[in-house]
Amino acid sequence: MQDTITSLINPADQRGKYLETEELEKLRRYFQSGELRVKAASAISNNAANIIREAVANSLLYGDITCPGGNMYPTRRYAACIRDLTLFLRYATYAMLAADPSILDERVLDGLKETYDSLGVPIQPTIQAIQAMKEVTTRLVGAEAGGEIGMYFDHICNGLS
Ligand SMILES: CCC1=C(C)/C(=C/C2=NC(=C\c3[nH]c(/C=C4\NC(=O)[C@H](C)[C@H]4CC)c(C)c3CCC(=O)O)/C(CCC(=O)O)=C2C)NC1=O
């Protein structure tokens, strides 16, 4: 896993150079948004169950997917789906704190689409649920922090598409 600091310093070290102006500017933005990201992570962890409940209600419930024949039926699969959303939320929060998507690539997305395809887990409803989490989370943490974490929800969706 990388974060903004390692992702800038490691390549500079390989070149044997100091960070360039543009790279220092990226670091400055990282430090400047630090307080915001930490606060958002705290709000998300205190409200994780509510975020998921609301996102599921806004996206997946009340459709065929939870009925016999749907991928969220029966309860075992419903629970697996909720568990997956819980993982997406937690890892998106880590990525926001690191301001770097590599933890998602390494620990969440590697092989996930293949797993979903082989189990018949439908991608479009999964993406809808992740987008619903993004909306609910943004309402909780505000637009600015919502933008910070939103890009990592989008990163997961892109990795599944
Ligand atoms: C930390 C990284 C990590 C991820 C991301 C992960 C995902 C993951 N989700 C799985 C299953 C599953 N995932 C879903 C999810 C859904 N079905 C739907 O219709 C909804 C749209 C959607 C929820 C949004 C379901 C229903 C299963 C069970 C499928 C089955 O066994 O038939 C499985 C197969 C094994 C299992 O059932 O536990 C994995 C590996 N596991 C991991 O370790």
Side-chain angles (χ1 to χ4, degrees):
M1 172 209 145
Q2 289 208 312
D3 53 41
T4 292
I5 301 177
T6 54
S7 75
L8 293 168
I9 290 180
N10 285 337
D13 183 31
Q14 270 159 22
R15 297 193 308 270
K17 299 277 195 227
Y18 282 96
L19 297 189
E20 286 166 12
T21 314
E22 205 178 293
E23 293 161 341
L24 285 171
E25 177 57 23
K26 279 188 191 152
L27 264 189
R28 198 185 60 75
R29 282 202 300 270
Y30 173 72
F31 292 129
Q32 204 176 36
S33 63
E35 179 72 20
L36 179 82
R37 286 179 287 111
V38 170
K39 260 183 158 169
S42 166
I44 291 165
S45 68
N46 289 332
N47 293 281
N50 286 331
I51 293 171
I52 288 159
R53 196 175 310 121
E54 207 179 321
V56 168
N58 293 350
S59 57
L60 297 171
L61 289 189
Y62 319 118
D64 294 343
I65 200 161
T66 53
C67 299
N71 193 261
M72 285 176 77
Y73 184 91
T75 313
R76 178 188 71 78
R77 287 210 293 251
Y78 187 100
C81 176
I82 301 295
R83 189 244 4 240
D84 286 8
L85 293 176
T86 309
L87 292 168
F88 295 150
L89 181 60
R90 180 159 58 86
Y91 278 97
T93 305
Y94 292 157
M96 170 190 69
L97 285 170
D100 188 282
S102 62
I103 195 165
L104 294 173
D105 296 334
E106 290 164 18
R107 305 211 191 138
V108 178
L109 291 170
D110 187 22
L112 184 62
K113 181 151 171 41
E114 293 73 13
T115 304
Y116 274 8
D117 286 345
S118 73
L119 289 170
V121 173
I123 302 294
Q124 269 321 308
T126 303
I127 288 175
Q128 277 166 26
I130 294 169
Q131 290 299 321
M133 280 206 292
K134 180 167 105 174
E135 282 165 30
V136 174
T137 305
T138 299
R139 228 176 295 134
L140 174 74
V141 299
E144 198 183 355
E148 296 285 335
I149 192 164
M151 66 180 116
Y152 302 107
F153 287 125
D154 289 341
H155 189 87
I156 299 172
C157 293
N158 291 335
L160 282 173
S161 317

